[in-house]
Amino acid sequence: KQEVTQIPAALSVPEGENLVLNCSFTDSAIYNLQWFRQDPGKGLTSLLLIQSSQREQTSGRLNASLDKSSGRSTLYIAASQPGDSATYLCAVLNSGGSNYKLTFGKGTLLTVNP
Amino acid sequence: SAVISQKPSRDICQRGTSLTIQCQVDSQVTMMFWYRQQPGQSLTLIATANQGSEATYESGFVIDKFPISRPNLTFSTLTVSNMSPEDSSIYLCSVECYGRQAYNEQFFGPGTRLTVL
């Protein structure tokens, strides 16, 4: 059974800092890994998706990496802003028949202080 | 990508009643999913709803409690039946489709916040 762990559970940084969020998963048989952002009481916004054959993806100030063999991914946020404050969720899409589904971590609550 | 809307956005219900949540997508998609997010928790998949077939439920979720309809490629409903306070959660609909990043990117609706008294 796939398990996804995110560290840290919460992170508070001053504006302008670069930061790294971590995600690990136990089963490397995945199609892809997605990073989402969730604002309080809202749905999820897809940030980055890395296919299992890829190593990293970039979008603006965000960079996500994937090391499938070791079951790890990182989300790097450069020059953080107060508007980046949200919960960041990592999810892996499991491969294989009836197991085809997204498994989520519990998220990292990020607060960027002005 | 896909734009997803859900109705209602929130509701407060009495225990023992049922609520039907609607999910509408702006494009035709094969795979739709229903998730539950309990307070302070991450998302848990309830079921996968593909058009033309019965929904597939995850362990711990049953059709009698969470009946799902999928009448066409752009619409689905989830009913939460005989509700109890433990059903208080955010319920989210998602779809898999061709996004800007991949053919199997998943997109989520804004969620339905349910409170059961």
Side-chain angles (χ1 to χ4, degrees):
Chain A
K1 178 188 170 188
Q2 180 74 269
E3 292 182 2
V4 179
T5 303
Q6 290 188 246
I7 295 173
L11 181 64
S12 181
V13 300
E15 182 177 2
E17 267 205 11
N18 303 325
L19 58 101
V20 175
L21 308 181
N22 297 289
C23 171
S24 62
F25 48 96
T26 56
D27 185 351
S28 61
I30 64 171
Y31 280 121
N32 63 45
L33 182 146
Q34 266 184 272
W35 283 93
F36 295 90
R37 168 186 173 139
Q38 186 175 32
D39 293 285
K42 305 291 186 182
L44 276 65
T45 300
S46 178
L47 297 174
L48 288 167
L49 182 151
I50 311 176
Q51 295 288 17
S52 62
S53 59
Q54 297 175 322
R55 288 289 219 165
E56 66 178 325
Q57 284 287 342
T58 298
S59 176
R61 294 182 293 108
L62 305 180
N63 175 277
S65 69
L66 173 64
D67 184 341
K68 185 181 150 184
S69 60
S70 67
R72 284 188 278 192
S73 176
T74 61
L75 178 66
Y76 174 82
I77 302 177
S80 59
Q81 302 171 357
D84 295 330
S85 298
T87 297
Y88 290 80
L89 294 164
C90 166
V92 295
L93 181 61
N94 306 310
S95 58
S98 61
N99 202 35
Y100 187 86
K101 63 178 182 179
L102 275 181
T103 302
F104 282 83
K106 291 186 177 181
T108 294
L109 176 61
L110 173 64
T111 303
V112 181
N113 301 300
Chain B
S1 63
V3 177
I4 305 168
S5 60
Q6 285 185 234
K7 289 182 182 179
S9 58
R10 57 176 61 223
D11 208 340
I12 300 174
C13 301
Q14 297 297 320
R15 70 169 66 215
T17 63
S18 298
L19 176 72
T20 295
I21 302 168
Q22 299 179 6
C23 177
Q24 180 75 52
V25 189
D26 69 341
S27 57
Q28 294 185 337
V29 296
T30 300
M31 302 190 74
M32 295 182 76
F33 307 87
W34 286 98
Y35 288 84
R36 179 175 75 181
Q37 186 175 30
Q38 294 178 301
Q41 302 297 314
S42 192
L43 281 75
T44 301
L45 181 65
I46 298 172
T48 301
N50 293 335
Q51 196 269 338
S53 61
E54 296 289 324
T56 302
Y57 290 82
E58 295 297 303
S59 175
F61 298 96
V62 295
I63 188 171
D64 289 346
K65 175 68 176 177
F66 298 101
I68 288 170
S69 77
R70 182 77 200 275
N72 57 51
L73 291 173
T74 63
F75 187 79
S76 178
T77 66
L78 169 76
T79 298
V80 186
S81 303
N82 189 25
M83 288 184 285
S84 66
E86 292 70 35
D87 294 319
S88 297
S89 298
I90 299 175
Y91 291 85
L92 298 111
C93 166
S94 79
V95 303
E96 179 182 278
C97 65
Y98 196 94
R100 59 184 167 83
Q101 302 183 81
Y103 68 91
N104 54 1
E105 189 168 354
Q106 288 207 14
F107 298 89
F108 283 77
T112 295
R113 180 181 290 273
L114 170 62
T115 302
V116 184
L117 303 177

